[in-house]
Amino acid sequence: MTITELRRKLLKSLDPIDARMILSMATGLDEIALITESGKTVSKAEEEKASSLMQQRLSGIPMAYIIEKKEFYGHEFHVTPSVLIPRPDTETLVECAIELAKNFSHPTILDLCTGSGAIATSVSYALSTPVAISDISEEALAIAKANYKAIIGTFPEARCGNLLEPWQDCKFNLILSNPPYLTDAWYEETDKDVKAEPRIAFLGGGSDGLDIIRDIISSAPAVLDKGGYLALEIDYRQAEICGSLLEKNGFEEISIVKDLANKERVIYGRLS
C-alpha cells in the first residue's frame, strides 16, 4: 500500500485534516513529504498504526490528544487528557491581556486555572515578562510548567490550589483566567469531543455556571494592586451578569471584548 492509497483509506472515515495528521504521525513524514513521497510504500507497522489512530479518533478522542499537541497563538503546546485543549476563541483573552499590560511599566501578571499554560505562556512570550500560574490540578500544573519552560526558557512561578487561595501573600497588576463557566445544561449540549476533555474544566457551578467566576471576582481585590485589572473569558450569555458582579466588587472601566465570531468573549475591569 502506498501513502496515497493509505490516505484514501483514511479519508473514507475521517475529514481531510484529521486524515493528514494521522498519516503524518503514522509515517513520520511532514506535510510536504507526504506529497512529494506519495508513491512511497508504507510498512505494515505504519499501516497498523494509522488504523489504530483512526479508531481512536472515531471513538471520540480529540485529535489534539491523539497527537498530543495543539497550536495556539503561534506556538505548539503539549496537551494530554489532563488539560483543556486550547481554543482559538481564547486568543481573545491573550490579546486583551497584552493590551492591558501596557498600562504598567513592569506588569505583574497571574494566570488562574492555567490548564496547559497556553494563556500564560503566550502572554509572557509577547511581553517578555514573567507570568505566574496556578491550577487546582497537579497534573495540569506540571504540563503548564513544561510548556512554559519549552517556549519561554524558564519555569514560571507556579502554585497548586483553588483559585486565588494560594496567592494571598501576593499583589498583581493583572489577573487573567479562562475558568470553568458552563452550566450543566450547556455542557450536555456539547459534542463527544468536548466530553472527552476534563469535565472539571467546563462546569462553572450554579444554575448560571458562574459560581467559580463569582469566587474569582469577589476574592480578586485582595490580591490586585489598586488600578489593577481582572480579565475573564466568559460565555456571551453571561456578560451582563458578570459586568454587574465586577461593579459590585469595586471594579470600574468595565469593558467587553468580542471574539472572531463577534460574540462577547472576554470581560475585564479595573480595580478602583
Side-chain angles (χ1 to χ4, degrees):
M1 178 179 290
T2 65
I3 288 176
T4 294
E5 290 169 334
L6 181 53
R7 185 196 299 273
R8 288 172 181 163
K9 179 180 177 181
L10 294 172
L11 285 171
K12 289 179 181 179
S13 303
L14 302 171
D15 67 44
I17 294 176
D18 286 355
R20 186 186 72 243
M21 290 176 139
I22 285 176
L23 191 59
S24 178
M25 193 171 183
T27 62
L29 299 174
D30 61 24
E31 189 171 350
I32 295 175
L34 288 175
I35 297 171
T36 59
E37 301 181 37
S38 59
K40 178 182 177 182
T41 300
V42 297
S43 68
K44 185 66 174 177
E46 290 171 335
E47 184 180 349
E48 289 175 351
K49 184 174 182 179
S51 179
S52 174
L53 295 172
M54 179 178 69
Q55 292 306 316
Q56 290 180 53
R57 183 69 190 102
L58 293 176
S59 72
I61 298 176
M63 199 66 226
Y65 289 158
I66 294 173
I67 64 175
E68 297 187 346
K69 59 186 177 182
K70 180 67 174 179
E71 192 275 338
F72 178 85
Y73 211 71
H75 299 285
E76 194 172 86
F77 290 88
H78 174 62
V79 295
T80 76
S82 295
V83 299
L84 188 73
I85 298 169
R87 288 161 166 77
D89 287 343
T90 301
E91 293 186 356
T92 306
L93 179 58
V94 172
E95 291 171 350
C96 179
I98 292 169
E99 289 303 310
L100 292 176
K102 293 177 181 177
N103 290 289
F104 309 95
S105 56
H106 300 287
T108 50
I109 307 172
L110 170 65
D111 175 32
L112 288 180
C113 309
T114 194
S116 67
I119 295 169
T121 303
S122 299
V123 172
S124 179
Y125 186 89
L127 298 173
S128 298
T129 298
V131 176
I133 63 173
S134 67
D135 202 284
I136 198 169
S137 164
E138 288 277 11
E139 293 85 357
L141 202 59
I143 291 169
K145 288 165 65 178
N147 278 326
Y148 190 103
K149 175 66 163 59
I151 294 168
I152 305 301
T154 59
F155 283 111
E157 181 177 2
R159 300 183 185 182
C160 188
N162 184 45
L163 303 178
L164 286 163
E165 289 176 3
W167 302 99
Q168 295 304 304
D169 61 335
C170 299
K171 288 285 187 179
F172 296 95
N173 300 133
L174 176 58
I175 297 175
L176 315 170
S177 186
N178 176 17
Y181 54 73
L182 294 189
T183 67
D184 289 351
W186 296 346
Y187 177 78
E188 290 306 318
E189 293 171 358
T190 61
D191 60 32
K192 64 180 181 179
D193 278 21
V194 170
K195 291 184 175 67
E197 298 181 65
R199 183 183 175 92
I200 192 176
F202 290 102
L203 296 178
S207 60
D208 57 7
L210 289 172
D211 280 1
I212 290 175
I213 284 180
R214 284 190 180 89
D215 193 335
I216 293 172
I217 291 175
S218 64
S219 56
V223 292
L224 267 177
D225 280 323
K226 185 176 180 180
Y229 290 89
L230 172 64
L232 302 167
E233 178 171 325
I234 59 171
D235 185 276
Y236 68 94
R237 292 164 285 193
Q238 299 165 325
E240 185 176 348
I241 299 175
C242 288
S244 297
L245 289 170
L246 285 167
E247 188 175 3
K248 290 176 182 177
N249 283 275
F251 289 88
E252 57 187 13
E253 299 176 20
I254 298 164
S255 297
I256 294 171
V257 184
K258 293 184 177 181
D259 60 23
L260 293 175
N262 204 36
K263 289 187 176 181
E264 296 168 326
R265 180 62 55 185
V266 172
I267 190 167
Y268 68 86
R270 179 177 176 271
L271 186 64
S272 57

